[in-house]
Amino acid sequence: MKCEVKMSVLRKKVFMVIMFLIPLFYHYAEEQAANSVCFRWAFVYKDETGEIQSIDHNKYINNLTSGNRLKIYLEPVRNAYIYLILYDSRNDLFILFPDMKREFFADYQTGKEYYVPEKNIWLYLKNDGGMEVFHLIVSRTRCEGLEQAITDYLDLLEKESVTEKMMNMAKQSVLEAIRDLKKRNSVFQGPDERPLSIAGDYRGDKTIRQFIDRIEVESFYAKTFRVAH
């Protein structure tokens, strides 16, 4: 009898502890969600027939055809500073996002839909062939080292007399800043994150609706896409 009473008291204590912990758990989960990085995006191309398809996120290299056209959709949802950089087949570097004319994120808005390129313009794969490398970086905080490397590179472009060696060093500094970010933040991007389709509540261009993914990670996301043509 005494044993049954003790067990009953123990069960009540365990129940009370669980009921106390549940609100704490939900509060912690909500806090983690509020601090996480969240964004929506799509990387699509228009093939020879004019049909729009998605770049395969899981392929190391996407093999397309010269003449195909590319477009990227970006939407920061929460705590997401997005950088998109192209290192093309001619070893030229292009800052595709954010718009450098607006001093990085001076006109950056959460929930706003951005297209690269804007409006009805598409990136065009030229007939000379090669490898186009796109670097997508998304961070909860601004990447100051990367921004400085980009600024230094763009400053050189504005100068009248610059050697090829100086330009190559500036390009490599940007690429090295990307590699350093990925290395230092690899712990925050686990291998288990999965894109979540949000086709039902997408408000923008219907032609790419089916290809938009929603990504949510702790504080950092990086992806490199290689497009051969």
Side-chain angles (χ1 to χ4, degrees):
M1 186 67 176
K2 289 182 179 180
C3 182
E4 291 181 359
V5 172
K6 288 182 179 180
M7 289 299 295
S8 177
V9 171
L10 180 60
R11 282 196 291 268
K12 287 181 179 179
K13 289 183 177 180
V14 171
F15 177 77
M16 291 175 66
V17 170
I18 292 174
M19 293 304 292
F20 174 75
L21 290 176
I22 287 176
L24 293 179
F25 173 78
Y26 280 110
H27 175 73
Y28 175 76
E30 291 175 355
E31 185 177 2
Q32 288 293 99
N35 292 329
S36 64
V37 168
C38 184
F39 68 100
R40 295 170 178 168
W41 83 300
F43 191 175
V44 300
Y45 69 96
K46 190 180 293 186
D47 65 17
E48 303 91 302
T49 67
E51 182 179 355
I52 295 178
Q53 302 184 47
S54 177
I55 293 291
D56 191 333
H57 297 189
N58 297 315
K59 282 186 177 180
Y60 183 76
I61 296 177
N62 278 263
N63 291 288
L64 301 186
T65 302
S66 294
N68 287 168
R69 289 165 168 77
L70 306 171
K71 185 178 282 289
I72 299 98
Y73 167 86
L74 300 168
E75 181 190 348
V77 176
R78 183 178 62 248
N79 304 326
Y81 288 100
I82 302 175
Y83 305 82
L84 182 63
I85 297 165
L86 167 62
Y87 189 59
D88 75 1
S89 56
R90 296 183 177 182
N91 298 325
D92 286 328
L93 196 69
F94 297 92
I95 314 305
L96 301 180
F97 194 86
D99 187 348
M100 298 308 300
K101 296 177 182 178
R102 299 173 184 172
E103 298 180 357
F104 285 98
F105 299 101
D107 189 35
Y108 191 63
Q109 300 176 35
T110 296
K112 183 176 180 179
E113 299 166 350
Y114 297 92
Y115 292 88
V116 180
E118 295 182 341
K119 301 179 180 179
N120 295 324
I121 304 171
W122 290 66
L123 296 174
Y124 178 82
L125 295 178
K126 295 182 178 180
N127 294 326
D128 51 3
M131 181 81 71
E132 318 294 331
V133 183
F134 295 82
H135 296 283
L136 175 68
I137 302 290
V138 187
S139 175
R140 185 168 59 194
T141 58
R142 289 179 61 167
C143 302
E144 295 181 356
L146 175 59
E147 291 184 13
Q148 185 60 58
I150 290 173
T151 299
D152 293 343
Y153 166 68
L154 295 179
D155 285 346
L156 280 182
L157 290 178
E158 297 296 323
K159 294 182 178 181
E160 294 183 359
S161 179
V162 179
T163 65
E164 182 178 353
K165 181 179 180 180
M166 291 172 63
M167 289 305 307
N168 287 335
M169 289 179 63
K171 294 174 188 177
Q172 290 304 315
S173 292
V174 175
L175 298 176
E176 183 60 35
I178 294 172
R179 287 190 288 268
D180 182 60
L181 276 170
K182 293 169 70 173
K183 183 177 180 180
R184 288 190 291 108
N185 292 281
S186 60
V187 66
F188 298 115
Q189 180 177 306
D192 298 327
E193 79 262 1
R194 292 290 184 272
L196 302 176
S197 176
I198 51 88
D201 63 352
Y202 173 53
R203 305 180 303 280
D205 187 339
K206 293 182 179 179
T207 58
I208 65 171
R209 172 182 294 183
Q210 61 185 309
F211 303 116
I212 294 179
D213 293 330
R214 179 181 183 275
I215 303 292
E216 185 168 356
V217 292
E218 182 179 340
S219 63
F220 182 83
Y221 182 87
K223 196 83 172 179
T224 297
F225 296 90
R226 295 169 178 85
V227 177
H229 61 103

